[in-house]
Amino acid sequence: MFKRIFGEHGAKNVVTLFHKPSSTASTRVLTLLKQTNAQSVAHATEDQASSHQAQDKAERMEFELDVTEAPPTADQLKSILDYLGGSGAASKVVSGAQDETDAMRRLKADGETFLRPVVVDWNQGKAVVGESESEILSMLRSISKDNKA
């Protein structure tokens, strides 16, 4: 219910990219996110200028992009693993991790063990590891569906 009320007041979803500039995949994901967000903002502005009726789907897909090169905090990592399906996801985001406990230990010892890019929509509780454009766009499209509710 909180999400629903919060969304109805026009608050944007926060989408975080855990980014590594030296990674080609991470740079492609950053470009995709920036382009998608810019297109949503452009469509929203056009619609607001031409109509005072309901916002269109593109505007509702708008999100606040947070880009960080830092590894996630322990709480963020726990959330990311939960979003990805629990302990089995540990090796997808932390190099060599066997489970959640091992992932936490490895991340604390060396932040560079965190594998990037990882895109996280904290409001929806979803995450995408890697550069799958279709998975990322699907997650972003579900922002508009979530805001319709």
Side-chain angles (χ1 to χ4, degrees):
M1 183 167 164
F2 178 76
K3 227 191 285 190
R4 180 179 217 169
I5 293 169
F6 196 68
E8 287 174 0
H9 286 92
K12 293 180 193 175
N13 281 24
V14 176
V15 174
T16 299
L17 168 62
F18 289 94
H19 178 55
K20 185 172 186 172
S22 62
S23 163
T24 306
S26 191
T27 301
R28 280 195 289 262
V29 170
L30 177 59
T31 301
L32 172 67
L33 291 170
K34 284 182 173 180
Q35 288 174 342
T36 303
N37 200 23
Q39 289 170 354
S40 293
V41 171
H43 288 300
T45 304
E46 289 170 11
D47 290 339
Q48 288 168 350
S50 64
S51 173
H52 294 288
Q53 294 181 0
Q55 300 169 337
D56 82 340
K57 183 177 179 179
E59 182 176 0
R60 289 186 219 127
M61 191 169 123
E62 204 173 330
F63 56 92
E64 182 178 325
L65 179 58
D66 172 38
V67 180
T68 182
E69 294 177 30
T73 64
D75 286 342
Q76 287 175 325
L77 178 61
K78 182 171 179 10
S79 293
I80 292 167
L81 293 175
D82 287 345
Y83 301 163
L84 293 171
S87 294
S91 63
K92 293 180 183 177
V93 293
V94 177
S95 182
Q98 302 299 313
D99 56 28
E100 184 177 315
T101 304
D102 190 32
M104 296 283 188
R105 183 185 57 75
R106 288 174 184 265
L107 181 66
K108 187 175 182 181
D110 180 3
E112 289 304 306
T113 59
F114 185 73
L115 303 172
R116 297 166 181 91
V118 176
V119 181
V120 183
D121 182 333
W122 304 105
N123 296 36
Q124 294 188 93
K126 295 182 180 182
V128 176
V129 179
E131 64 176 317
S132 172
E133 184 174 326
S134 62
E135 285 183 53
I136 293 167
L137 289 175
S138 176
M139 180 178 70
L140 296 176
R141 279 188 206 103
S142 65
I143 291 172
S144 65
K145 290 177 187 167
D146 189 49
N147 287 341
K148 282 183 182 179

